[in-house]
Amino acid sequence: MRLSTNWLEGVSFRRFLVILSGVGVLLALVPAFIPILETELLTYGLIFAIAALGFNLLLGYTGLLSFGHAAFFGVGAYTVAFLVRDFGVVTIEVAILGGLVMSILISALFGIICVRYTRIFFALLALALSQVLWTLAFKFYWITGGTDGIRVPRMLLLGGLLDFTGPGDYFTFLYAYYYYVLVVFLLSVILMWVIVHSPFGKALQAIRDNEMRARFVGIEIIKYRWIAFIISGTYTGLAGILWVPMNRLVQSEILYWPVSGEFVFMTLLGGFRNFTGPIFGAIIYQRMHVEIVGLIEYWQFFLGTVLVLLILFLPTGIVGGVTQLLARLRGQPAPRMLDVMAMLKQGVARLRRKEGV
Amino acid sequence: MDVLAIQILNSIFYAAVLFLIAGGLSLIFGVMGIINLAHGSFYAIGAFVTAYVIGAAAGHVNIWILFLLLPVGALAGAVIGAIIEPTLLRPFYKRREEYYLLLTFGLLLIFEDSLRFIFGTRPLSADAVIDALGTFQLLGLRYPTYNLVAIAIAGAVALALWFFIYGTRFGVMLRATAQDRRMASALGLNVGMIYILAFALGSFMAGLGGAIVVPTRTAVLGLSIEMLIVAFVVVVIGGLGSLKGALIGALIVSFVRTAGVQFFPEIELAVLYIIVVAVLLYRPTGLFGRA
């Protein structure tokens, strides 16, 4: 998979900004044409896209798979809840600031523990640490509200500049918040692009591809991974912060491991070897989730099956798959996609010849 | 004093269960080099299947037959493991770790909901077994005899496993494959069969852990991840790939948890993770590991 499944590969920063502005304008116009429910879902989609972008910095660019990102999402969300309930914060900007600070702190703390270790240990340590947070939130229910959660009233945007009173104020808020999230989203995307294409980002990819070689070249593996971890956790924390005004209820469930699994799934769905994969994955996932939960009762089964199928047949995700398809249609040599079917056939053939694997 | 004795016995019981699960995980890792995130699911499968079978059979058959039914859950786990390994997992051993981690995570989700679908959301229990054995007098308090039986079963399995791996020809083949797969294959061993058997054996052990524990605890949803994390802690402390490490690790974790529950009930999990972190900092491969 060294060959590109990233349709933005080699694109200069200026061109990227142009593309992004186009996308931004499109997204800004979209609410006029879709029902308000869809706008609401799209807002959630953008929020989780921020989280997925952050998650993919670790997975796609540094090669670290974390099953514990629910922790940072939860930290962001709970910080907002505590700030509102216990410190009387009313504007979202203050909440964002506070949430970001906490996210950075917790990411740094968890990061120090996790990044020293190899892949399996890393994944499970992250999971374990996030489960600890969940246990704390669950058990200390007199502080955190446990499964009942903490209700967070609607907050002021932009320090109270915008007024949300009067009839129809809920809808006004929804639209206004959509644009708010859109702006934050666009800024996050730009920032992530800059990070990923900077020397730091290149170093991360070097670490991902060949750790020993990176070390010989002089890259301090642990420090770089730690910084990537902090950035990743903070992005996910930001998503948690932004999520609260929409959901207005913060329960211990958001720290539970299936939420981490959802981040993994979103990123894989879109494709983790792309810059844009996680974004599409998150938006599609939000939409899909709403549709399917209404239809089938066993959502985890569905999720698990799709995950397995994705890994078996479409490991590059939707964006990766589409990119390769387009490349093939254009007559370019298709990137060497790891062909699982061929591998399976080979494996079976070998078994038959009793050579073992 | 009697409370202490009971705590010690409880710890040993919990350690027995942990050893089975962590031992299975370690075995699979030792032979195939992978960690199966769905390993906890086999534990849950063992618990649910056994609880269901015993619950259904209780009152209809002789009480001693119920004991023979205990391992049914474990066998279910072994069979499922034997099916999954060659079909889903094997193509991924050579690829990046992330893939099989993601794959086994997907399997974990599938198993979770499958268990919910098959067995419903009511907790299942196998009380018949524990009632049948009654209690015995221990220094002034009564203690369920079943727990001792369970410890004995786990001990017997440990011995059998030790004998199997170090005393039989197949054990030699297993260890050879674990040490150097290519060489073993070059020497004519059927590595594929060994993989299936090793995975089935590891899953059997996990299922047996669940089967043993279910008379004392009801089978509820959410067991899989909970046990996965604890089993992971055990293998981290004891060292991946080592059965002896799994045993010692299980004892350590069990006693720490029991003490933790006694003295710091709210944060006893956190105490465990602190120990994990400490072990990882000073001895990353665990006490006996060879990872």
Side-chain angles (χ1 to χ4, degrees):
Chain A
M1 285 224 283
R2 298 292 178 259
L3 296 178
S4 175
T5 57
N6 185 358
W7 59 281
L8 285 175
E9 179 100 355
V11 164
S12 74
F13 187 52
R14 192 177 307 170
R15 200 138 167 251
F16 164 74
L17 282 180
V18 167
I19 298 179
L20 193 65
S21 327
V23 170
V25 166
L26 237 127
L27 284 174
L29 293 175
V30 149
F33 300 100
I34 57 178
I36 186 159
L37 205 64
E38 299 290 334
T39 308
E40 216 178 320
L41 281 176
L42 193 53
T43 318
Y44 277 115
L46 291 177
I47 291 176
F48 281 101
I50 298 177
L53 261 183
F55 177 81
N56 200 36
L57 179 67
L58 274 185
L59 177 59
Y61 290 97
T62 322
L64 293 174
L65 172 60
S66 151
F67 280 111
H69 264 54
F72 310 116
F73 189 83
V75 162
Y78 267 106
T79 308
V80 175
F82 289 142
L83 282 176
V84 168
R85 186 187 67 178
D86 300 325
F87 294 91
V89 168
V90 278
T91 53
I92 200 173
E93 281 72 29
V94 176
I96 291 182
L97 221 69
L100 282 178
V101 166
M102 279 310 287
S103 301
I104 296 178
L105 285 176
I106 301 283
S107 317
L109 178 64
F110 283 11
I112 292 189
I113 302 173
C114 292
V115 294
R116 294 171 188 272
Y117 304 109
T118 62
R119 325 290 171 106
I120 308 169
F121 287 102
F122 175 84
L124 286 178
L125 259 182
L127 173 64
L129 287 172
S130 88
Q131 280 296 96
V132 171
L133 277 189
W134 173 75
T135 314
L136 291 176
F138 187 71
K139 286 202 169 170
F140 290 106
Y141 57 88
W142 54 90
I143 304 179
T144 63
T147 46
D148 290 335
I150 303 176
R151 311 201 98 252
V152 178
R154 191 189 307 161
M155 304 179 72
L156 297 177
L157 300 180
L158 295 179
L161 276 181
L162 303 171
D163 188 13
F164 297 121
T165 52
D169 61 330
Y170 179 62
F171 299 106
T172 323
F173 174 76
L174 274 182
Y175 280 118
Y177 198 63
Y178 171 78
Y179 286 106
Y180 195 85
V181 167
L182 181 61
V183 167
V184 176
F185 167 74
L186 291 171
L187 290 174
S188 310
V189 172
I190 297 179
L191 181 62
M192 186 53 81
W193 176 273
V194 167
I195 292 176
V196 159
H197 287 82
S198 69
F200 172 72
K202 299 293 186 191
L204 288 182
Q205 295 174 64
I207 296 176
R208 172 198 70 196
D209 289 337
N210 194 328
E211 186 181 323
M212 201 174 296
R213 200 171 181 189
R215 196 176 296 165
F216 279 13
V217 168
I219 300 177
E220 295 173 62
I221 313 269
I222 294 187
K223 188 168 89 168
Y224 276 69
R225 279 185 177 154
W226 186 50
I227 298 178
F229 194 92
I230 297 178
I231 298 176
S232 175
T234 310
Y235 260 73
T236 311
L238 178 62
I241 298 168
L242 291 173
W243 178 80
V244 176
M246 289 293 290
N247 203 57
R248 263 173 278 122
L249 179 66
V250 180
Q251 301 162 291
S252 56
E253 264 81 67
I254 57 170
L255 286 166
Y256 202 39
W257 62 273
V259 174
S260 298
E262 288 186 353
F263 291 131
V264 174
F265 181 81
M266 283 181 228
T267 309
L268 205 73
L269 182 68
F272 66 97
R273 283 296 197 151
N274 306 277
F275 183 78
T276 51
I279 301 175
F280 285 106
I283 297 178
I284 296 175
Y285 176 79
Q286 284 303 306
R287 197 67 197 69
M288 201 172 69
H289 179 89
V290 164
E291 290 289 343
I292 307 222
V293 155
L295 288 176
I296 64 175
E297 203 185 318
Y298 295 97
W299 167 247
Q300 277 188 327
F301 184 89
F302 174 78
L303 209 66
T305 316
V306 174
L307 188 60
V308 170
L309 290 175
L310 273 177
I311 298 183
L312 286 178
F313 302 116
L314 195 63
T316 52
I318 291 182
V319 172
V322 166
T323 311
Q324 287 165 340
L325 191 68
L326 289 178
R328 226 180 277 204
L329 286 177
R330 257 188 253 137
Q332 289 163 7
R336 185 173 46 91
M337 190 165 70
L338 276 168
D339 193 348
V340 183
M341 289 313 294
M343 283 180 67
L344 275 171
K345 284 193 199 137
Q346 269 187 331
V348 167
R350 277 205 213 108
L351 266 178
R352 274 208 213 107
R353 274 176 281 151
K354 299 226 163 151
E355 272 178 356
V357 173
Chain B
M1 190 57 210
D2 1 357
V3 174
L4 185 65
I6 288 194
Q7 296 286 37
I8 292 181
L9 276 181
N10 280 343
S11 297
I12 299 184
F13 175 62
Y14 188 52
V17 175
L18 276 185
F19 162 71
L20 285 175
I21 301 162
L25 196 65
S26 238
L27 183 72
I28 295 178
F29 180 82
V31 175
M32 288 171 282
I34 67 166
I35 289 213
N36 176 16
L37 284 184
H39 195 73
S41 302
F42 289 108
Y43 164 78
I45 290 174
F48 270 98
V49 169
T50 302
Y52 181 76
V53 165
I54 290 190
H60 300 298
V61 295
N62 188 311
I63 207 77
W64 301 110
I65 307 234
L66 287 183
F67 276 94
L68 291 177
L69 288 177
L70 262 184
V72 165
L75 284 171
V79 165
I80 296 178
I83 298 177
I84 305 180
E85 196 273 335
T87 52
L88 288 176
L89 296 179
R90 200 172 299 174
F92 291 93
Y93 294 160
K94 292 189 190 138
R95 294 172 64 173
R96 298 180 60 100
E97 277 176 16
E98 283 84 46
Y99 286 114
Y100 72 72
L101 281 182
L102 292 168
L103 193 63
T104 52
F105 183 72
L107 286 175
L108 167 63
L109 292 173
I110 294 178
F111 282 139
E112 275 295 285
D113 261 6
S114 301
L115 284 176
R116 188 159 73 101
F117 176 69
I118 298 177
F119 294 107
T121 49
R122 290 177 303 117
L124 289 179
S125 58
D127 293 333
V129 173
I130 202 171
D131 292 336
L133 286 178
T135 58
F136 68 97
Q137 196 76 15
L138 177 69
L139 298 177
L141 289 175
R142 303 209 65 90
Y143 192 72
T145 321
Y146 173 75
N147 289 22
L148 292 184
V149 171
I151 297 176
I153 295 180
V157 168
L159 280 174
L161 203 64
W162 191 88
F163 173 71
F164 176 71
I165 294 185
Y166 292 100
T168 64
R169 224 178 118 244
F170 188 79
V172 172
M173 286 161 55
L174 203 69
R175 279 184 290 144
T177 315
Q179 282 177 9
D180 193 337
R181 194 195 74 223
R182 290 216 180 103
M183 194 56 159
S185 171
L187 286 173
L189 294 185
N190 186 344
V191 177
M193 278 308 284
I194 294 183
Y195 274 4
I196 295 183
L197 279 163
F199 196 83
L201 188 58
S203 309
F204 176 84
M205 287 174 69
L208 191 61
I212 289 186
V213 92
V214 84
T216 63
R217 260 177 233 198
T218 50
V220 289
L221 301 167
L223 284 180
S224 324
I225 273 276
E226 193 191 299
M227 194 37 89
L228 173 72
I229 297 184
V230 181
F232 173 67
V233 168
V234 170
V235 296
V236 160
I237 293 181
L240 264 177
S242 157
L243 279 178
K244 186 164 62 169
L247 186 61
I248 308 280
L251 284 168
I252 295 179
V253 168
S254 179
F255 276 97
V256 166
R257 272 201 96 167
T258 313
V261 166
Q262 190 75 354
F263 300 115
F264 321 102
E266 298 296 353
I267 57 165
E268 42 101 5
L269 262 182
V271 170
L272 208 58
Y273 294 124
I274 294 176
I275 298 198
V276 172
V277 170
V279 169
L280 280 178
L281 282 176
Y282 294 112
R283 210 146 175 181
T285 53
L287 295 174
F288 299 97
R290 37 177 219 99

